Amino acid sequence: MIYSRLLYTEHEQPHNNDGEGAYTIFSTQQLFGADCVPLGDMSVQKFAVLWEGQTDTRVIDLIEQSIMLTILSPVRLLNASKGTLVVVHDSKLVGENYKLFCLVWEKIAAGVMYDEWTVLFVKDTGAGLGLKGGRIFRQFAREILDNNELGIVEFTPDMFLFKDDWAPENIFGPPPGEEPEADPERIQHALGLFDEDLDSWRESATGSKPIP
């Protein structure tokens, strides 16, 4: 599903059999590090949104605002629940940058459409391990953080989505002497067709039918 012109949907995990635990992994271009300090290289940030019930697209609106205000980079996971926005951030974020990060996110959340959300800030190292956040957050946040590659990495040519499609072997075929192994089933089928053709030729040439 396309959620935003500023975000790429990397993965969508549906709800479990109990109708809980759905989340989406997003990626976006990032020029700042997890500590809100400018990076020297173009990078990509991946983060998760843990949904409760139906997808609340107001979270996407807040994310887009945070991108425009260059305050998304420390975020690892977001979860909106009953008037509270849980913001899981990288533990590298400290000092004055952390204070600024909190102030901006509190202002963004307070202006959410048709509501006013408070913000709960949680370090990524402790998310889901204590009593912070709602039941859904406590139950699923740790698993999402542990089982997905979230954070910021430098963008490289290897990340080109269609790289495999343009690999030399897919364009020009395998190198000489490295022809792909033939499928045994295809070989057997071809031999069977050859035998049938040979029997038909013998019958037409001699008038005798092959011995079964």
Side-chain angles (χ1 to χ4, degrees):
M1 176 176 174
I2 298 175
Y3 291 87
S4 168
R5 293 178 175 85
L6 300 179
L7 300 171
Y8 175 74
T9 303
E10 296 278 351
H11 172 71
E12 287 200 276
Q13 181 69 29
H15 283 305
N16 59 21
N17 293 333
D18 296 324
E20 299 176 340
Y23 65 90
T24 304
I25 304 296
F26 293 107
S27 64
T28 188
Q29 175 182 317
Q30 189 53 259
L31 298 174
F32 291 82
D35 52 2
C36 288
V37 175
L39 297 169
D41 299 304
M42 176 67 67
S43 298
V44 173
Q45 176 184 1
K46 289 184 182 180
F47 63 96
V49 175
L50 172 60
W51 307 106
E52 295 207 15
Q54 297 296 320
T55 301
D56 190 339
T57 53
R58 291 178 297 176
V59 176
I60 303 299
D61 178 48
L62 302 190
I63 293 170
E64 291 181 340
Q65 292 184 51
S66 73
I67 291 174
M68 291 186 288
L69 294 170
T70 65
I71 206 71
L72 178 67
S73 59
V75 173
R76 291 294 188 92
L77 183 145
L78 297 170
N79 170 239
S81 174
K82 299 178 180 179
T84 298
L85 177 67
V86 182
V87 178
V88 178
H89 61 86
D90 196 296
S91 57
K92 296 177 183 177
L93 184 64
V94 295
E96 292 300 318
N97 284 347
Y98 172 71
K99 294 179 181 178
L100 178 61
F101 173 80
C102 293
L103 286 173
V104 175
W105 269 102
E106 286 171 349
K107 183 175 181 179
I108 292 174
V112 68
M113 295 179 185
Y114 309 110
D115 207 342
E116 184 176 344
W117 291 349
T118 58
V119 184
L120 174 63
F121 297 98
V122 181
K123 288 185 179 181
D124 57 352
T125 52
L129 300 178
L131 299 177
K132 291 184 177 181
R135 181 183 64 82
I136 296 296
F137 176 80
R138 296 194 303 272
Q139 182 175 348
F140 295 101
R142 187 73 259 159
E143 180 180 351
I144 295 172
L145 292 168
D146 290 342
N147 294 337
N148 294 277
E149 295 181 359
L150 306 178
I152 300 172
V153 295
E154 180 183 349
F155 183 82
T156 67
D158 289 337
M159 295 180 181
F160 176 46
L161 290 177
F162 301 98
K163 179 183 177 182
D164 291 341
D165 294 347
W166 292 96
E169 58 270 22
N170 291 330
I171 301 299
F172 305 107
E178 295 185 13
E179 294 294 332
E181 295 184 5
D183 186 345
E185 292 186 3
R186 288 189 175 183
I187 294 176
Q188 190 65 35
H189 179 66
L191 291 175
L193 292 176
F194 175 76
D195 289 340
E196 291 177 4
D197 291 341
L198 183 59
D199 291 340
S200 297
W201 177 81
R202 286 174 176 169
E203 183 177 354
S204 62
T206 64
S208 60
K209 294 185 177 181
I211 299 174

